[in-house]
Amino acid sequence: MLSAEEAIKKFKKFERRANAKRSKQIEQIKADRKFLSGEQWSSDDDAYWPSGRPRRVINVLGNSIASTVNVYATYGYKWYSPDEETDQGLEAFLKFGSNSRAAYDVLYNEVAFGLGYFALGSEQVTAADGEVLDVPALYSIDKLENVYFDPDSIEIDGRDAQECAITEFRSKEWVEAKYGEDWVTPKGERPIVNVTDNADPEQMVIVTYYRMENGRCQVYRMLNRDFIDEPVELEI
């Protein structure tokens, strides 16, 4: 695992590389979403379309996008809840018909067809006996601009990516309230952990940086000049 200084240096280098192709990646995703959401006809088609002839469009994404309501760092699909009776009801529902894969499929298909990103994380829940458990959760990422993806990835679902980052923009007031004043830079000073897109000196960026190393995924969450969570290594 990397030290905070090493991880920040590698992220900064990655961010510079990702920025070179990032706008093109985002533009393509948005264009594909529009096309699959019903905008199949362009203005160029007007010259060839007979007057009075109706146009039919197909909204392929409407239901899927509407179903993807779990947002990164806000809501997640949880495997368990603190209530045993609720868990039993949820398990029964998820075992019925195609429900067992519905939530997963909505997110996976969005990614598999190059239409967006999702993140796999965990959340803490308190069991009935008071034990605190870490449970897995899937998150959709509603704002594409918050993702920095490996510019060298060529697979449509990103399976070959070696680096990625998710950013969260927060005010200095929010950072101080959440983590304490030691994490906040002085007025007008930019934090060390930052991105090119952040032009506001009173705004800070939390970066979750993923990098593959020897077949394992290292995860670093960074703010200002240090880790805000203990780095972890996952076997993918």
Side-chain angles (χ1 to χ4, degrees), residues 200-213:
D200 185 352
E202 297 308 307
Q203 184 171 250
M204 302 185 71
V205 184
I206 298 174
V207 173
T208 305
Y209 174 48
Y210 305 84
R211 65 186 305 272
M212 295 297 294
E213 185 73 29

Side-chain angles (χ1 to χ4, degrees), residues 15 19 26 53 73 81 91 97 100 104 106 112 122-123 130 140 152 154 168 174-176 185 190 193 208 216 218 220:
E15 191 238 353
N19 267 331
I26 293 171
R53 182 176 178 180
S81 76
E91 287 176 4
S100 60
Y104 171 84
V106 168
S122 65
E123 293 187 356
S140 66
D152 298 323
I154 58 174
E168 303 167 56
W174 186 95
V175 172
E176 182 174 355
T185 56
R190 290 170 63 85
V193 175
T208 305
R216 300 174 69 87
Q218 299 176 349
Y220 303 93

Side-chain angles (χ1 to χ4, degrees), residues 13-23 25 148-151:
K13 184 178 180 180
F14 163 68
E15 191 238 353
R16 288 193 295 270
R17 287 198 310 113
N19 267 331
K21 291 187 178 180
R22 184 161 162 268
S23 61
Q25 289 173 334
Y148 291 76
F149 200 71
D150 191 341

Side-chain angles (χ1 to χ4, degrees), residues 26 37 46 49 86 104 117 142 167 191 199 217:
I26 293 171
S37 297
D46 293 337
W49 201 258
T86 300
Y104 171 84
Y117 304 99
D142 61 341
T167 59
C217 181

Side-chain angles (χ1 to χ4, degrees), residues 34-94:
K34 284 184 177 181
F35 181 83
L36 290 175
S37 297
E39 295 187 21
Q40 281 100 22
W41 303 105
S42 70
S43 57
D44 294 335
D45 296 321
D46 293 337
Y48 306 98
W49 201 258
S51 177
R53 182 176 178 180
R55 296 186 182 188
R56 297 299 177 91
V57 297
I58 301 174
N59 188 344
V60 180
L61 290 181
N63 291 333
S64 295
I65 297 299
S67 300
T68 311
V69 296
N70 58 324
V71 179
Y72 179 73
T74 306
Y75 302 105
Y77 291 123
K78 295 182 182 179
W79 274 246
Y80 301 100
S81 76
D83 183 70
E84 184 176 352
E85 186 175 346
T86 300
D87 286 345
Q88 292 175 350
L90 289 173
E91 287 176 4
F93 171 79
L94 291 174

Side-chain angles (χ1 to χ4, degrees), residues 146-230:
N146 286 0
V147 177
Y148 291 76
F149 200 71
D150 191 341
D152 298 323
S153 172
I154 58 174
E155 296 288 347
I156 192 170
D157 61 0
R159 72 182 68 184
D160 59 336
Q162 297 300 302
E163 291 179 283
C164 180
I166 303 173
T167 59
E168 303 167 56
F169 292 85
R170 303 292 186 182
S171 67
K172 288 185 175 181
E173 290 79 7
W174 186 95
V175 172
E176 182 174 355
K178 177 73 173 179
Y179 297 108
E181 62 180 10
D182 289 343
W183 288 90
V184 180
T185 56
K187 185 176 179 62
E189 182 178 315
R190 290 170 63 85
I192 296 173
V193 175
N194 210 344
V195 292
T196 307
D197 287 353
N198 183 25
D200 185 352
E202 297 308 307
Q203 184 171 250
M204 302 185 71
V205 184
I206 298 174
V207 173
T208 305
Y209 174 48
Y210 305 84
R211 65 186 305 272
M212 295 297 294
E213 185 73 29
N214 297 323
R216 300 174 69 87
C217 181
Q218 299 176 349
V219 185
Y220 303 93
R221 277 179 58 79
M222 306 177 288
L223 172 65
N224 191 4
R225 60 183 180 275
D226 207 346
F227 299 137
I228 54 174
D229 291 318
E230 191 70 24

